């Protein structure tokens, strides 16, 4: 801790953007560990994830917002609320957009939200690797800057860039003098159970492709460390229909086995202990619209 150092700067940065623009990828690269869930399907980051970047002179607490979008059901409402409150509380917002896609309704909706708060906004144009001709970036940038004043504009590739000093420097400009809020070795505030659940859900989405929609939730029912330091986790994958249950289990259980194998490897890498993952699949009809189910699954 460095509370006595007057020069130390620290604060909160919210990463905001349409689903799939690369928020989780960017935060993971900034922080250097795989904590935020990444998927090539939209809206996979349901819970607010907090990741911490610590340097000798500054600390940035990055909030991965679940994505601002128009809510269609109760889970959507929860996600919008989480994103809204993140915006009010932070020192700076990083508005992430996709350089390879035209500005859409989702971007407009977010810009309206950003305009309504006093928080300074950095425009981060992501996925520039998809635009071989850099001149083509100018009209993309202009389509945003014409509509709003940004504190800075930073083109980047969360996937391919070697460093993110440009973005970190811009964020640092908005951090007030402050203490190190978190110890340097801490990269996320997410309880380990939640992170384990997110790892499982990520693998389900990854392996089942479009066959299973987002009506998948994962609950870790039990997680304990055995006397030899091995970790035991029992998790339930909830789906909305019998047919989805069949897909996730797969022929002779092959799909579920593969989900378990990949998720276990990630959890072991994260926790540093040998892990046993006991996976179950259950049908819970219409869980997305039931407030009580949402609470039970931790989306409160
Ligand atoms: P989020 O929904 O905003 O959190 O987006 P994710 O971080 O989950 O990323 C969505 C998809 O975009 C994933 O498949 C990423 O690998 C991909 N992606 C993220 N950043 C980049 C980038 O800079 N370039 C390219 N080509 N793909 C990216
Ligand atoms: Mg995400």
């Amino acid at each position: 801790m460095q509370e006595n150092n007057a020069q130390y700067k620290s604060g909160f940065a919210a990463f905001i953007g349409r689903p799939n623009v690369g928020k989780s990828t960017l935060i993971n690269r900034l922080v250097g560990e795989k904590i935020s869930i990444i998927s090539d399907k939209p809206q996979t980051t349901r819970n607010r994830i907090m990741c911490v970047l610590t340097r000798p002179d500054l600390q940035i607490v990055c909030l991965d917002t679940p994505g601002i979008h128009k809510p269609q059901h109760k889970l959507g409402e929860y996600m919008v609320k989480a994103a809204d409150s993140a915006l009010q509380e932070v020192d700076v917002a990083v508005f992430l957009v996709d350089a390879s896609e035209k500005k859409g309704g989702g971007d407009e909706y977010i810009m309206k939200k950003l305009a309504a708060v006093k928080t300074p906004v950095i425009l981060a144009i992501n996925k520039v690797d998809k635009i071989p001709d850099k001149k083509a970036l100018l009209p993309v940038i202009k389509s945003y800057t014409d509509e709003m004043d940004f504190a800075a504009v930073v083109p980047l590739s969360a996937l391919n860039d070697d460093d993110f000093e440009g973005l970190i420097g811009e964020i640092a400009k908005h951090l007030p003098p402050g203490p190190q809020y978190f110890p340097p070795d801490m990269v996320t505030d997410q309880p380990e159970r939640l992170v384990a659940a997110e790892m499982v859900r990520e693998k389900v989405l990854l392996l089942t492709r479009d066959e299973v929609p987002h009506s998948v939730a994962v609950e870790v029912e039990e997680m304990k460390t055995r006397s030899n330091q091995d970790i035991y986790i029992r998790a339930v994958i909830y789906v909305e229909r019998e047919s989805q249950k069949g897909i996730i289990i797969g022929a002779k259980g092959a799909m579920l086995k593969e989900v378990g194998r990949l998720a276990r490897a990630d959890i072991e890498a994260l926790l540093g202990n040998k892990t046993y993952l006991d996976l179950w699949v259950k049908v819970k009809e219409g869980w997305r619209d039931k407030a009580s189910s949402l609470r039970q699954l931790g989306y409160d």
Side-chain angles (χ1 to χ4, degrees):
M1 291 291 185
Q2 307 194 8
E3 274 98 338
N4 298 328
N5 187 341
Q7 297 304 102
Y8 203 82
K9 289 167 96 183
S10 59
F12 292 77
F15 287 70
I16 309 271
R18 279 191 296 109
N20 239 18
V21 292
K23 297 178 294 295
S24 302
T25 308
L26 179 59
I27 292 178
N28 288 335
R29 293 293 313 278
L30 288 175
V31 172
E33 296 224 5
K34 185 172 164 43
I35 297 288
S36 269
I37 179 171
I38 300 195
S39 161
D40 50 10
K41 284 175 209 251
Q43 289 176 29
T44 46
T45 316
R46 273 185 198 150
N47 287 286
R48 195 161 112 178
I49 309 242
M50 201 150 87
C51 295
V52 184
L53 171 79
T54 305
R55 295 214 167 157
D57 55 334
L58 62 81
Q59 184 166 66
I60 304 170
V61 184
C62 306
L63 304 180
D64 189 353
T65 57
I68 298 183
H69 65 116
K70 289 173 194 159
Q72 261 137 29
H73 44 68
K74 285 218 163 54
L75 180 57
E77 281 171 29
Y78 163 80
M79 292 160 71
V80 172
K81 267 193 213 137
D84 276 359
S85 69
L87 262 188
Q88 311 276 358
E89 295 160 13
V90 297
D91 298 294
V92 57
V94 178
F95 173 36
L96 213 62
V97 301
D98 187 331
S100 65
E101 284 179 8
K102 274 221 164 72
K103 185 179 70 185
D107 297 305
E108 301 279 2
Y109 182 77
I110 292 169
M111 283 204 276
K112 269 201 207 108
K113 297 256 179 201
L114 291 170
V117 293
K118 290 200 189 81
T119 314
V121 181
I122 296 168
L123 176 66
I125 314 267
N126 190 32
K127 308 197 187 184
V128 295
D129 56 288
K130 285 178 147 181
I131 315 276
D133 177 12
K134 294 303 168 228
K135 265 182 284 177
L137 278 177
L138 293 176
V140 177
I141 293 175
K142 197 171 174 320
S143 70
Y144 293 96
T145 53
D146 273 354
E147 267 181 51
M148 219 184 122
D149 282 332
F150 294 100
V153 179
V154 184
L156 54 87
S157 168
L159 214 52
N160 293 347
D161 283 354
D162 293 325
D163 76 60
F164 298 93
E165 294 311 314
L167 179 63
I168 292 170
E170 291 300 338
I171 292 173
K173 287 182 189 169
H174 303 282
L175 300 180
Q180 233 182 46
Y181 290 108
F182 300 99
D185 56 356
M186 178 173 167
V187 289
T188 177
D189 78 328
Q190 291 295 293
E192 288 172 347
R193 272 174 180 249
L194 200 54
V195 172
E198 292 289 271
M199 294 287 182
V200 172
R201 203 161 58 85
E202 177 184 57
K203 302 312 171 201
V204 171
L205 294 178
L206 189 75
L207 292 175
T208 58
R209 298 267 130 203
D210 295 323
E211 293 164 278
V212 175
H214 281 89
S215 45
V216 174
V218 177
E219 183 182 24
V220 170
E221 287 191 334
E222 189 179 356
M223 183 163 181
K224 62 182 178 199
T225 306
R226 292 173 168 158
S227 53
N228 61 358
Q229 296 307 307
D230 287 356
I231 294 165
Y232 170 81
I233 299 171
R234 189 180 64 248
V236 181
I237 300 167
Y238 286 103
V239 292
E240 287 193 301
R241 283 192 292 280
E242 275 302 326
S243 60
Q244 295 165 348
K245 181 175 170 179
I247 292 167
I248 291 180
I249 292 174
K252 291 186 179 155
M255 177 67 88
L256 191 61
K257 211 169 154 189
E258 185 64 1
V259 167
R261 192 180 68 80
L262 294 175
R264 184 173 55 80
D266 270 10
I267 295 167
E268 280 184 349
L270 186 75
L271 303 180
N273 295 72
K274 192 168 165 56
T275 301
Y276 295 87
L277 186 56
D278 193 7
L279 287 182
W280 297 83
V281 186
K282 287 183 188 166
V283 178
K284 202 170 193 172
E285 269 171 52
W287 70 264
R288 274 188 298 185
D289 281 322
K290 290 179 191 145
S292 61
S293 301
L294 286 178
R295 265 196 303 279
Q296 197 187 331
L297 293 166
Y299 301 118
D300 198 6

